[in-house]
Amino acid sequence: MKLIVLTAPSGAGKTTIARRVMDEMEDLRFSVSATTRTRREGEEHGVDYFFLSEEVFRAKVEARAFIEYEEVYPGLFYGTLKDELERPAESTAVLLDIDVVGALNVKKLYGKQALILFIRPPSLEVLEERLTARGTDSATDMAVRLEKAALELSQANQFDEVIVNDDLEQAVVETIACIRAFLAG
Ligand code: 5GP
């Protein structure tokens, strides 16, 4: 089983790219993460995330149910479930949408079996505009996300490939090309 990790600061277009990649590549399965954050409008339990209470999340940590987990934002936990990666091989690869620390942990654990891709916005200013346009986060949440984004951008050089999401179509094409090359190798 090969692992493909898509990482990007919140608002860099990663979720859209991930959806497009999933639509166009049939042999990929999406790894649904668990989180303690509240559901945004349009999100579905078991599809976008498994939305868990902190108590249930902690119980899963105790039970060693996660490959990796993290307090991505203060008080908000996110984690990759072992079960999600180890489901019987109905596909040749799994796509993970996780943050920088999670991606680097996956690389450490899986080495050449994993491809870690960093999707970056053209600049922090563009990212701020996109987050504002999305309008799903409060001003405080946005400040926290932007601060984390600045830190994440500085770690992009530790990834296998960096894709700039200036033009979405172009970024999708580049991402798919990277994944195909990796799966063929
Ligand atoms: P959001 O709340 O915007 O959906 O996601 C916030 C951040 O958490 C994103 O950077 C996303 O990639 C990351 N994330 C989602 N699931 C996981 C996970 O299972 N593990 C880690 N480490 N990060 C995750």
Side-chain angles (χ1 to χ4, degrees):
M1 173 70 71
K2 288 185 171 177
L3 281 77
I4 293 140
V5 181
L6 283 188
T7 295
S10 186
K14 172 189 51 176
T15 307
T16 313
I17 294 174
R19 285 211 183 112
R20 288 284 304 278
V21 170
M22 290 303 300
D23 285 348
E24 296 193 26
M25 300 189 72
E26 282 167 6
D27 42 358
L28 276 189
R29 185 162 62 72
F30 186 72
S31 160
V32 181
S33 293
T35 183
T36 62
R37 86 147 157 75
T38 48
R39 208 150 54 89
R40 291 193 188 121
E41 210 180 303
E43 286 182 330
E44 261 182 75
H45 181 82
V47 175
D48 299 284
Y49 283 107
F50 294 105
F51 295 96
L52 307 180
S53 66
E54 195 170 324
E55 195 186 351
V56 171
F57 195 101
R58 285 189 192 281
K60 287 194 183 287
V61 171
E62 287 294 305
R64 301 187 184 282
F66 292 109
I67 297 282
E68 60 82 35
Y69 77 94
E70 247 187 290
E71 188 174 358
V72 172
Y73 300 114
L76 296 182
F77 294 86
Y78 294 76
T80 307
L81 293 158
K82 267 187 203 161
D83 280 357
E84 275 293 298
L85 297 191
E86 289 170 3
R87 259 198 277 147
E90 76 239 15
S91 48
T92 49
V94 185
L95 186 75
L96 291 83
D97 170 344
I98 64 179
D99 82 337
V100 167
V101 179
L104 296 175
N105 280 334
V106 165
K107 189 71 184 179
K108 224 182 278 164
L109 285 170
Y110 289 89
K112 286 202 170 111
Q113 224 183 311
L115 172 73
I116 58 171
L117 302 176
F118 190 91
I119 316 273
R120 59 161 299 161
S123 67
L124 276 176
E125 289 73 26
V126 170
L127 186 70
E128 188 168 2
E129 282 165 23
R130 289 180 187 172
L131 280 175
T132 310
R134 183 165 83 178
T136 49
D137 304 303
S138 69
T140 322
D141 281 356
M142 246 183 63
V144 170
R145 278 163 200 268
L146 281 172
E147 194 177 313
K148 183 175 160 68
L151 182 76
E152 291 197 329
L153 285 175
S154 71
Q155 291 169 296
N157 60 352
Q158 296 176 59
F159 281 68
D160 294 321
E161 301 279 351
V162 178
I163 294 156
V164 180
N165 180 12
D166 193 353
D167 174 76
L168 182 65
E169 287 310 313
Q170 180 74 27
V172 168
V173 168
E174 264 182 58
T175 305
I176 291 176
C178 278
I179 296 174
R180 285 205 203 284
F182 170 70
L183 293 180

